[in-house]
């Protein structure tokens, strides 16, 4: 009798283990699926957290510009937005201090590379200044007549410098300014629906890149530009 009970007990234990085994494998399988889903979600979220969205809104957030509050209006060359108007004004403002800076480089530079950079700045901003004036006139955009207080401060710094100190200040101040505006040129070239503004941005892209190149060729630019003192 006792043997029969033992056999029955063994059978009960075996049946219980057999019943538990499928549940255990199902639990494990469910856990693996949940883990895989969590890993996939993490892989999607980490790049967004670290680097931000790659969409147009993120690009605009990294490039500052001023909204004049006048909205979008129609012109013969297409819609004119606040971004478009700000860009035309900034091209004008850049020339108001960078062209005099180029003239100082022609006069005070101690190396041929600094002289060359000065020549390129004067020539390039003479052209862009006229283009910005013509574009503004055709679109009815008001333009500044003097550089901002900050830009005048950079120009004053150059005017107070001599020799090698001037060379390095010139290369770094103007290179940082061009690096900043380069992002705005790209943003406008990508977004504008106005043919006149697009033409200005296309030409500005070529001129600004040329200026960045000749400034870097002086061998005096301190890299990297971290944005601690962003030039506009």
């Amino acid at each position: 009798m006792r043997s029969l009970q033992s056999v029955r007990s063994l059978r009960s234990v075996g049946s219980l283990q057999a019943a538990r085994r499928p549940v255990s494998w199902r639990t494990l399988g469910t856990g693996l699926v949940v883990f895989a889903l969590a890993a996939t979600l993490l892989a999607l979220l980490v790049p967004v957290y670290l680097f931000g969205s790659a969409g147009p809104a993120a690009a605009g957030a990294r490039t500052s510009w001023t909204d004049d509050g006048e909205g979008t209006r129609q012109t013969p060359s297409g819609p004119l937005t606040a971004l478009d108007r700000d860009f035309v004004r900034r091209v004008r403002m850049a020339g108001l201090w960078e062209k005099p800076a180029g003239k100082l480089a022609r006069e005070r530079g101690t190396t041929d590379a600094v002289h060359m950079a000065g020549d390129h700045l004067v020539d390039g901003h003479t052209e862009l200044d006229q283009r910005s004036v013509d574009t503004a006139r055709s679109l009815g955009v008001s333009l500044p007549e003097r550089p901002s207080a900050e830009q005048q401060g950079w120009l004053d710094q150059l005017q107070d410098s001599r020799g090698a100190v001037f060379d390095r200040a010139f290369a770094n101040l103007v290179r940082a300014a061009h690096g900043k505006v380069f992002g705005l040129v790209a943003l406008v070239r990508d977004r504008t629906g106005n043919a006149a503004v697009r033409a200005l941005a296309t030409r500005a892209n070529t001129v600004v890149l040329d200026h960045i190149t000749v400034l870097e060729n002086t061998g005096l630019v301190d890299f990297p530009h971290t944005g601690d003192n962003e030039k506009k």
Side-chain angles (χ1 to χ4, degrees):
M1 185 68 177
R2 184 175 298 170
S3 297
L4 182 59
Q5 290 176 343
S6 298
V7 171
R8 288 176 177 173
S9 297
L10 289 174
R11 286 178 177 175
S12 298
V13 170
S15 298
L16 181 60
Q17 290 177 340
R20 285 178 177 175
R21 191 175 297 118
V23 174
S24 176
W25 281 109
R26 284 198 300 271
T27 301
L28 179 60
T30 302
L32 289 174
V33 170
V34 171
F35 177 78
L37 290 173
T40 301
L41 180 62
L42 183 62
L44 292 173
L45 291 178
V46 166
V48 173
Y49 174 78
L50 291 178
F51 304 109
S53 169
R62 290 191 297 270
T63 303
S64 63
W65 56 277
T66 302
D67 187 343
D68 59 12
E70 297 180 10
T72 300
R73 52 189 175 81
Q74 295 300 319
T75 73
S77 56
L80 185 72
T81 67
L83 173 61
D84 294 333
R85 291 188 294 273
D86 187 63
F87 171 68
V88 175
R89 291 172 179 138
R90 285 179 185 265
V91 172
R92 167 72 167 170
M93 288 182 70
L96 290 175
W97 85 274
E98 291 173 12
K99 185 176 172 181
K103 291 181 178 179
L104 285 173
R106 281 176 166 178
E107 300 167 1
R108 300 183 184 180
T110 65
T111 69
D112 290 341
V114 172
H115 291 155
M116 178 180 291
D119 288 338
H120 281 239
L121 253 70
V122 171
D123 294 344
H125 282 292
T126 296
E127 177 192 346
L128 287 182
D129 187 67
Q130 187 59 56
R131 284 177 178 266
S132 69
V133 169
D134 292 342
T135 302
R137 184 180 297 116
S138 69
L139 298 175
V141 177
S142 61
L143 291 180
E145 295 299 327
R146 58 182 59 87
S148 68
E150 189 175 28
Q151 290 170 330
Q152 185 60 54
W154 302 329
L155 190 56
D156 291 344
Q157 182 178 338
L158 294 178
Q159 290 172 334
D160 292 338
S161 302
R162 297 291 188 281
V165 174
F166 170 85
D167 291 345
R168 184 166 293 278
F170 165 76
N172 283 280
L173 283 171
V174 183
R175 167 60 180 84
H178 280 76
K180 182 66 176 177
V181 78
F182 201 43
L184 180 60
V185 172
L187 180 65
V188 172
R189 184 63 183 79
D190 174 61
R191 291 191 180 183
T192 187
N194 189 285
V197 174
R198 187 181 306 110
L200 178 62
T202 299
R203 183 55 185 159
N205 183 75
T206 300
V207 173
V208 171
L209 182 57
D210 171 72
H211 291 177
I212 287 174
T213 302
V214 294
L215 288 163
E216 292 175 352
N217 286 345
T218 64
L220 300 172
V221 175
D222 299 322
F223 292 104
H225 291 294
T226 59
D228 294 335
N229 183 24
E230 290 184 339
K231 308 298 183 290
K232 300 176 183 177

